[in-house]
Amino acid sequence: MAPNINSEELIGYWGRPTSTVDWCEKNYEFSIYVAEMSNTISNLMMILPPLWGIREIIKYKLDKIFILCQILLLTVGLGSTAFHMTLLYEMQLFDELPMVWGTCVSVYILKNLSSEEPKQIRNNGQNTLRKLVLASTLFFFAVSFTTIYLWWPQPFFQHTSFAVLLFVSFYLQYKITRNSQCSLCQKFLKFTIFFFVFGFSLWIIDKAACSQLTSLRARIPVYFNPVTQLHSWWHIFAGYASYLQILLCIHSWYDLEISSSKKTLRFENGFSLRPTVSKKRR
């Protein structure tokens, strides 16, 4: 569990927190309208990149399925923003449920991309039944998780469910890079895992060393406060890692010839995959 809610803290515009967790940031320290300022603002890393990604997908006429991926990441960012701004239970669900549902969609796409079947079988629709079974299984998992979590709202259950899906996605990304031998995909995989693991380490420290961090913040100038908000850094690193995972899916979609479009994509400015005017590789 995260630190308990301090009843002596200022009660802001949204009233007393009703969420099952309250993070290691003093509530309503900078505004009566924002419960956790740093944890709220840091969610921009899960809002601005997917908006940019949607623009790029539309502009370069990439497959529309990846708009859904970006929308799901955007939904997580908006939900997390609402949660940390209000610390209300309803907004907590808006944050945590999309994390699981969105990762299920990522697992579905990654599983299809990691298939070792011949390309002609992957592309001619003969594996429809397998895809249907996979989609049904993931849908059942997501619905079951939602039902149990609404009845038994234990943060550990949500964290564990998300972690299981995340590890599955890492394994599928590894299979993709192994099958394709694509150097860019390998870079995406390494950075995705590094940012997730590093961000999660900060998340753990934020929970385990909250009293020490609170004491530190009392001794340093207030403008250094955001640097010590380790849960905020989790948002930043996990948000960018999730965005890179979507880019890996997009690149693999064309690199492995899942799409019929003859595109070769290049990675630019840390946020864009843009087509070049050339023949498809391989």
Side-chain angles (χ1 to χ4, degrees), residues 117-246:
E117 296 174 331
K119 295 171 185 176
Q120 61 270 23
I121 295 179
R122 281 205 305 253
N123 294 339
N124 67 8
Q126 294 182 18
N127 60 350
T128 301
L129 179 60
R130 181 181 61 82
K131 289 183 178 181
L132 181 61
V133 171
L134 175 62
S136 300
T137 301
L138 290 168
F139 180 77
F140 177 77
F141 178 92
V143 170
S144 299
F145 161 77
T146 302
T147 302
I148 296 172
Y149 192 54
L150 291 176
W151 172 72
W152 187 56
Q154 294 297 316
F156 174 78
F157 177 60
Q158 191 274 341
H159 299 158
T160 302
S161 300
F162 175 68
V164 169
L165 290 169
L166 198 60
F167 278 113
V168 171
S169 73
F170 288 161
Y171 172 70
L172 294 175
Q173 288 180 76
Y174 163 74
K175 286 189 66 178
I176 291 171
T177 59
R178 184 190 63 188
N179 294 343
S180 67
Q181 297 297 311
C182 170
S183 60
L184 181 56
C185 291
Q186 292 173 358
K187 290 179 181 178
F188 282 149
L189 173 62
K190 291 176 182 177
F191 281 113
T192 297
I193 294 178
F194 172 78
F195 286 137
F196 262 122
V197 171
F198 185 66
F200 180 69
S201 300
L202 298 179
W203 185 87
I204 291 294
I205 295 172
D206 185 76
K207 292 182 64 176
C210 182
S211 57
Q212 293 88 337
L213 288 170
T214 301
S215 176
L216 173 64
R217 290 167 194 148
R219 301 194 303 268
I220 62 176
V222 66
Y223 44 81
F224 286 134
N225 186 305
V227 180
T228 68
Q229 299 295 343
L230 302 188
H231 190 80
S232 301
W233 288 104
W234 154 251
H235 288 165
I236 293 170
F237 287 114
Y240 188 55
S242 299
Y243 185 75
L244 288 179
Q245 187 177 76
I246 295 174

Side-chain angles (χ1 to χ4, degrees), residues 64-110:
K64 297 300 187 293
I65 191 174
F66 298 112
I67 293 181
L68 174 61
C69 295
Q70 300 287 13
I71 289 175
L72 289 169
L73 177 56
L74 175 63
T75 302
V76 173
L78 293 174
S80 185
T81 298
F83 170 36
H84 289 285
M85 184 170 66
T86 66
L87 289 180
L88 298 178
Y89 177 66
E90 295 80 4
M91 298 300 104
Q92 181 182 350
L93 294 178
F94 184 24
D95 172 22
E96 294 176 338
L97 295 182
M99 289 174 64
V100 171
W101 282 82
T103 310
C104 282
V105 173
S106 296
V107 168
Y108 174 80
I109 294 174
L110 288 166

